[in-house]
């Protein structure tokens, strides 16, 4: 009877160990399933953020294009002799906001600075055109290699602004812009 009780205890202990092992295995499966759900959620979140970032980039490009077209559309050559005071005020206010409003979008900021610089040139405000061109050039050189069409465009804009002020520093900039364009596009 002692032997039989001992065997029953051993069998009970084995059943308890087996039940405990099953419970641990079930807990491990539940944790694995939870980890799979977390991983899938993270993948979905990452994909959603990537889609949002792409949409934001497209929107920024569209806004920049719209503003560029708008600024070109109200340029002095379009104004046909009308008072350009309002245009100057709009340009000045816009120029002041660019650095802080577009600090995380240097390509858009450079494009708008270049456009504003062109309009300042048309208005005959060569100092402001120079300032816009210098900043657009700085931003573009930080974004791209020195051999990039936008860098060449900024070099040309700066050279024109300096030439209008009779600054001899314009000449090497014209040469650099031309050399870069030839390297990029050949003899056009």
């Amino acid at each position: 009877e002692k032997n039989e009780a001992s065997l029953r205890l051993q069998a009970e202990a084995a059943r308890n160990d087996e039940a405990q092992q099953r419970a641990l295995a079930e807990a491990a499966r539940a944790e694995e399933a939870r980890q799979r759900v977390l991983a899938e959620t993270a993948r979905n979140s990452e994909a959603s953020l990537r889609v949002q970032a792409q949409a934001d980039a497209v929107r920024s490009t569209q806004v920049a294009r719209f503003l560029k077209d708008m600024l070109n559309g109200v340029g002095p050559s379009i104004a046909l002799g009308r008072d350009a005071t309002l245009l100057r005020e709009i340009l000045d206010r816009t120029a002041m906001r660019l650095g802080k409003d577009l600090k995380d979008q240097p390509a858009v900021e450079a494009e708008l600075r270049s456009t504003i610089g062109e309009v300042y040139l048309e208005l005959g405000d060569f100092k402001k055109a120079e300032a816009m061109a210098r900043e657009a050039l700085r931003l573009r050189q930080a974004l791209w290699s020195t051999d990039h069409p936008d860098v060449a465009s900024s070099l040309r804009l700066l050279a024109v602004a300096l030439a209008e002020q009779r600054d001899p520093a314009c000449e090497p900039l014209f040469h650099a812009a031309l050399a870069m364009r030839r390297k990029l596009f050949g003899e056009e």
Side-chain angles (χ1 to χ4, degrees):
E1 201 170 290
K2 223 179 183 183
N3 220 1
E4 198 176 298
S6 175
L7 286 176
R8 269 189 294 229
L9 281 175
Q10 285 177 353
E12 185 66 30
R15 280 192 298 275
N16 285 342
D17 282 348
E18 188 178 302
Q20 189 177 27
Q21 291 300 323
R22 278 194 307 270
L24 287 174
E26 185 61 34
R29 282 191 294 275
E31 178 60 21
E32 182 182 340
R34 187 181 78 77
Q35 291 296 328
R36 277 195 307 271
V37 167
L38 287 174
E40 184 64 26
T41 301
R43 277 192 297 276
N44 290 342
S45 178
E46 180 185 342
S48 175
L49 290 172
R50 193 172 34 256
V51 167
Q52 182 63 42
Q54 290 169 343
D56 288 347
V58 167
R59 190 171 28 262
S60 290
T61 301
Q62 289 171 335
V63 167
R65 188 175 303 124
F66 172 79
L67 288 173
K68 182 178 177 182
D69 291 347
M70 182 186 74
L71 289 170
N72 283 330
V74 296
S77 60
I78 305 297
L80 301 174
R82 289 179 270 181
D83 184 16
T85 304
L86 180 60
L87 175 58
R88 287 177 198 275
E89 290 173 11
I90 292 169
L91 289 174
D92 291 346
R93 276 194 230 126
T94 303
M96 286 181 1
R97 292 184 55 188
L98 285 178
K100 57 184 169 183
D101 289 0
L102 297 173
K103 68 179 163 112
D104 296 329
Q105 299 179 57
V108 174
E109 180 182 348
E111 183 69 25
L112 289 174
R113 284 186 184 279
S114 184
T115 300
I116 291 170
E118 294 280 356
V119 177
Y120 276 136
L121 272 179
E122 287 187 53
L123 287 168
D125 196 337
F126 306 124
K127 283 286 187 194
K128 288 182 180 176
E130 177 188 348
M132 288 292 110
R134 281 191 190 282
E135 187 60 15
L137 177 61
R138 185 193 68 75
L139 289 165
R140 286 173 168 171
Q141 285 175 327
L143 283 170
W144 300 295
S145 70
T146 54
D147 293 332
H148 189 278
D150 289 344
V151 173
S153 175
S154 289
L155 281 169
R156 183 207 55 80
L157 178 60
L158 180 55
V160 171
L162 291 172
E164 290 292 347
Q165 297 173 73
R166 309 287 189 254
D167 187 330
C170 69
E171 190 173 334
L173 295 172
F174 275 125
H175 289 294
L178 182 59
M180 192 178 298
R181 289 193 62 77
R182 284 183 175 154
K183 184 176 180 181
L184 291 166
F185 305 113
E187 297 289 331
E188 290 182 348

